[in-house]
Amino acid sequence: MPRATGTKPAKAKAKPAKPYKHPEADSPMRPEVGTQPQFKKKLPPKTYKYDSSLSPVMEWDGQNFTRAKGEWLLTKIREGAALPAPHVFPQAQEFKSADGRVDCSVAGLQDAVQQLAKIEKPFLNWAGKAERLSFDVPSLPLFIHERLSTKAILETLKGHKKQGELFALFADPQHSIADQVLRAYEHRDKWVNRMILGDSLVVMNSLLQYEGMGGQVQMIYIDPPYGVKFGSNFQPFVRKRDVSHNDDGDMTREPEMVQAYRDTWELGLHSYLTYLRDRLLLCRELLSLSGSIFVQISDENVHSVRTVMEEVFAKDNFISTIVFQKTSSEEGDGVANTADYLLWFSRDRERFRNFALYRGKKPGEPGAKQYVYARRENTSETRRLTPEEVAKSETIPAGWVVCRRGYPLTSQDYSPTRTVDFVFDGKPYSPGKNRHWSVSPDKGLPSLVAKGRIYSTGKSLSGIMDLRDMPGTEIDNVWTDTGTGSFTDEQIYVVQTAEKVVERCILMTTEPGDLVLDPTCGSGTTAFVAEQLGRRWITVDTSRVPLALARQRVLSGTFPYYKLVSSCIS
Ligand SMILES: C[S@@+](CC[C@H](N)C(=O)[O-])C[C@H]1O[C@@H](n2cnc3c(N)ncnc32)[C@H](O)[C@@H]1O
């Protein structure tokens, strides 16, 4: 059962829990691995095109393409301005590149102005970028190699044979060979989570081309090689976690990995940025309009990767850079380097789905700096907490609660009903000129007095707020509680991400049943956390080693069982 994302307040009346159901998600029936020779529905490679207007210095054949385009746009602006409002051409005007492809099309004056404005933007250039206006990705079908069903395993273990129906270990009901060959990718099947072996680019293209998954992914978590010391980003053996850069013994022997290595690293950072931009472009196609993408990266390339993401997702869709602690000790020149970064972009900022997360407030810490007082329960008697009580709240004696003093009781502006005197301890107090009481003076203020939450500062009244009234503070973009080490998750992979990091990203951007994709599976942290939180997931890796680790992790994982708030729902 997925974990509830909220906690039940101490004495709150139990609200009936709503039954929770995954949306009726399905996916096309995929062919089994044995049907490869008979599979006839192959699709041609798909061409993806970049937004070339972002590269103002693109040149070839001795001509400055962007200058020519700029001049053409200026002409269109003049022509458009001469037309009567709304300055739209009778038919769209097209500007073509040297090879005859339509580079941009403008409907009228506004469009032309916008296209010209794009040319002015600064951009990041690297070797090979200008020459590559588009790229082709082979459209390969994804064959099923293995089906793993926890339900089938459990049923088999329970009784070997269930009355009436036989469950085979590692197998859900399968389709006949004829069906698979003739109806693969047409017939709809029940949704299943997936681990896919292959290059992320080819796999994402396949999800788009064969399975029509464009716009269906709610969140993408991508933790690519960081673009530094590339060799040490690939773990070639399941049992050997320490991998050193440039050590022949640690070099991968998998052909797919040699290819991935070459694609990503041939020209150093130049090929790395190309590798990333191609994949980000396909991620964008897969994301739903309310979706988000997180790219995990280190400080060496965070600036370049952010610029590439701005190109692909648009600057306006940037949400945040999250700094998270990866380790407590790391050598660095000048200062220890203990953090990594998450670049968070929405697919469309206007529609993106986002949930605030809270962490518990601790007296004196950020978000609770003013909570350094204790209040005797049911009275307005307060005292300062001792340093020991601030450091260890469990040392606060029973009958005292952590609180803050000086909580404002008035708000700006005159109110005919609330800008009135309030009598406290026999003395009238005014909210102040052009101010009003924030709670009603007839019921709200007397109730606060009865609870010991008001005190006099002489001329005015002030409030006392208990920490337990609002025990959480919204998390920000600095996560210091995520370092991996001996007291956190068990490390099975050389570049494993802390579960807490991925968990927060999933909780901030998805709801139960939503689809999460990780095209850089590694040891399967995203799949593992998504499974625990009741999200659907797909994860991809080009190497068998991490996939083997991830498969074992997800299959052998045990998740906490949570009792429902309302026991009537099972
Ligand atoms: C930094 S690790 C991800 C670690 C992961 N976050 C975890 O918690 O274990 C990057 C992974 O991406 C995979 N990878 C690199 N290039 C790839 C590609 N082109 N397609 C698919 N996977 C790739 C590597 O094999 C590696 O396992």
Side-chain angles (χ1 to χ4, degrees):
M1 193 197 72
R3 194 169 82 180
T5 52
T7 47
K8 191 179 151 192
K11 281 185 186 161
K13 212 172 135 203
K15 280 191 209 144
K18 283 192 210 136
Y20 144 75
K21 232 182 179 186
H22 281 221
E24 295 304 328
D26 59 7
S27 59
M29 182 180 98
R30 285 175 296 279
E32 304 277 335
V33 69
T35 62
Q36 260 156 310
Q38 289 91 355
F39 189 81
K40 297 282 183 295
K41 293 176 201 155
K42 297 208 175 88
L43 296 173
K46 168 82 182 164
T47 304
Y48 292 90
K49 207 165 169 292
Y50 299 121
D51 183 351
S52 60
S53 64
L54 291 164
S55 314
V57 294
M58 244 176 331
E59 286 180 43
W60 67 85
D61 297 336
Q63 285 181 352
N64 188 330
F65 174 74
T66 311
R67 179 170 173 182
K69 181 175 167 181
E71 283 170 359
W72 180 83
L73 284 167
L74 282 171
T75 310
K76 293 299 142 195
I77 289 171
R78 271 185 230 111
E79 288 173 12
L83 293 171
H87 309 287
V88 175
F89 299 118
Q91 63 192 51
Q93 306 286 295
E94 290 177 344
F95 182 74
K96 292 189 176 153
S97 60
D99 63 1
R101 289 194 208 185
V102 176
D103 177 78
C104 89
S105 155
V106 291
L109 175 66
Q110 274 307 318
D111 264 1
V113 171
Q114 273 171 15
Q115 293 282 349
L116 194 62
K118 269 193 188 173
I119 292 184
E120 290 169 1
K121 287 182 192 158
F123 76 105
L124 183 70
N125 204 5
W126 62 84
K129 184 182 186 191
E131 293 81 11
R132 229 165 150 256
L133 278 179
S134 62
F135 59 99
D136 290 341
V137 189
S139 300
L140 303 178
L142 298 172
F143 292 95
I144 297 174
H145 285 248
E146 187 182 20
R147 291 169 188 270
L148 301 170
S149 158
T150 323
K151 189 177 165 209
I153 295 171
L154 288 177
E155 291 297 343
T156 311
L157 290 177
K158 257 197 244 161
H160 289 281
K161 247 186 206 179
K162 191 172 174 265
Q163 278 290 313
E165 199 184 345
L166 181 68
F167 284 93
L169 190 65
F170 288 177
D172 276 334
Q174 296 182 10
H175 300 277
S176 70
I177 295 285
D179 261 6
Q180 283 178 48
V181 174
L182 297 173
R183 301 178 65 196
Y185 291 122
E186 283 170 17
H187 177 82
R188 304 298 292 182
D189 250 353
K190 263 194 182 162
W191 175 266
V192 281
N193 295 328
R194 296 156 74 188
M195 270 182 197
I196 305 172
L197 174 70
D199 186 293
S200 49
L201 193 68
V202 177
V203 172
M204 288 195 282
N205 183 44
S206 184
L207 295 177
L208 288 162
Q209 301 311 313
Y210 281 101
E211 307 193 24
M213 288 190 74
Q216 291 192 25
V217 178
Q218 192 59 32
M219 189 278 241
I220 298 181
Y221 191 93
I222 166 164
D223 173 18
Y226 284 174
V228 284
K229 293 185 189 161
F230 187 81
S232 59
N233 269 281
F234 291 89
Q235 180 176 323
F237 308 107
V238 172
R239 287 180 207 291
K240 187 167 183 277
R241 198 160 59 77
D242 301 319
V243 185
S244 47
H245 178 57
N246 283 346
D247 182 339
D248 282 356
D250 285 343
M251 283 307 285
T252 178
R253 284 151 185 85
E254 293 172 83
E256 304 88 349
M257 295 303 295
V258 175
Q259 173 74 39
Y261 186 102
R262 215 173 15 206
D263 286 357
T264 324
W265 211 231
E266 205 168 24
L267 296 174
L269 186 58
H270 300 279
S271 30
Y272 177 72
L273 293 176
T274 300
Y275 153 97
L276 213 54
R277 186 165 72 140
D278 291 357
R279 281 153 185 83
L280 291 173
L281 201 71
L282 271 79
C283 284
R284 186 174 175 275
E285 299 285 308
L286 286 163
L287 272 183
S288 96
L289 285 177
S290 58
S292 288
I293 179 166
F294 295 85
V295 175
Q296 180 181 329
I297 197 78
S298 68
D299 59 346
E300 285 96 327
N301 288 322
V302 62
H303 55 300
S304 310
V305 175
R306 173 159 174 187
T307 315
V308 173
M309 291 186 81
E310 282 178 1
E311 269 189 32
V312 176
F313 293 98
K315 212 176 169 124
D316 290 349
N317 290 321
F318 170 75
I319 302 295
S320 182
T321 300
I322 295 166
V323 188
F324 70 93
Q325 183 140 24
K326 60 174 171 184
T327 167
S328 49
S329 62
E330 180 94 1
E331 287 191 7
D333 289 336
V335 68
N337 234 332
T338 59
D340 273 346
Y341 302 85
L342 289 175
L343 292 167
W344 177 8
F345 276 74
S346 60
R347 171 70 178 78
D348 178 351
R349 203 193 168 86
E350 297 295 308
R351 312 184 208 198
F352 103 109
R353 197 185 296 161
N354 174 224
F355 305 96
L357 295 186
Y358 295 84
R359 66 158 67 98
K361 278 183 188 163
K362 287 210 178 118
E365 286 192 355
K369 282 212 177 296
Q370 294 148 310
Y371 289 84
V372 285
Y373 290 89
R375 182 176 72 85
R376 195 189 284 278
E377 273 193 284
N378 306 319
T379 73
S380 56
E381 180 191 342
T382 57
R383 64 170 176 84
R384 256 196 179 271
L385 291 172
T386 64
E388 198 201 356
E389 286 173 332
V390 171
K392 287 188 192 161
S393 47
E394 58 275 18
T395 60
I396 299 168
W400 290 85
V401 288
V402 178
C403 70
R404 64 166 277 199
R405 285 165 60 90
Y407 195 79
L409 289 174
T410 61
S411 312
Q412 259 185 358
D413 296 330
Y414 170 83
S415 152
T417 51
R418 293 191 178 193
T419 309
V420 293
D421 280 359
F422 177 71
V423 179
F424 177 72
D425 268 352
K427 186 177 159 189
Y429 290 85
S430 155
K433 212 175 158 199
N434 263 335
R435 296 190 70 79
H436 64 273
W437 297 111
S438 309
V439 289
S440 68
D442 51 344
K443 284 196 183 134
L445 286 176
S447 148
L448 288 178
V449 173
K451 289 178 179 146
R453 301 299 192 90
I454 290 186
Y455 64 97
S456 165
T457 58
K459 278 192 176 167
S460 59
L461 293 179
S462 213
I464 299 170
M465 173 81 109
D466 290 351
L467 187 72
R468 64 187 180 189
D469 292 340
M470 217 187 274
T473 180
E474 211 171 301
I475 65 165
D476 53 26
N477 67 340
V478 180
W479 299 353
T480 51
D481 54 353
T482 49
T484 49
S486 44
F487 297 110
T488 52
D489 326 328
E490 189 201 352
Q491 290 276 297
I492 55 168
Y493 192 46
V494 60
V495 279
Q496 186 171 331
T497 308
E499 283 165 29
K500 197 185 270 182
V501 173
V502 181
E503 181 182 78
R504 285 190 183 156
C505 297
I506 292 182
L507 289 174
M508 287 193 302
T509 54
T510 65
E511 291 181 274
D514 280 344
L515 178 56
V516 173
L517 167 71
D518 186 340
T520 50
C521 171
S523 58
T525 308
T526 305
F528 186 79
V529 175
E531 181 73 30
Q532 173 161 5
L533 297 173
R535 272 64 173 174
R536 292 178 294 135
W537 53 266
I538 298 179
T539 189
V540 183
D541 205 293
T542 193
S543 167
R544 288 154 210 269
V545 173
L547 270 195
L549 294 169
R551 177 182 173 281
Q552 186 193 6
R553 184 174 176 194
V554 173
L555 268 185
S556 59
T558 49
F559 301 115
Y561 177 79
Y562 294 92
K563 211 172 156 190
L564 287 171
V565 176
S566 165
S567 55
C568 61
I569 295 170
S570 55

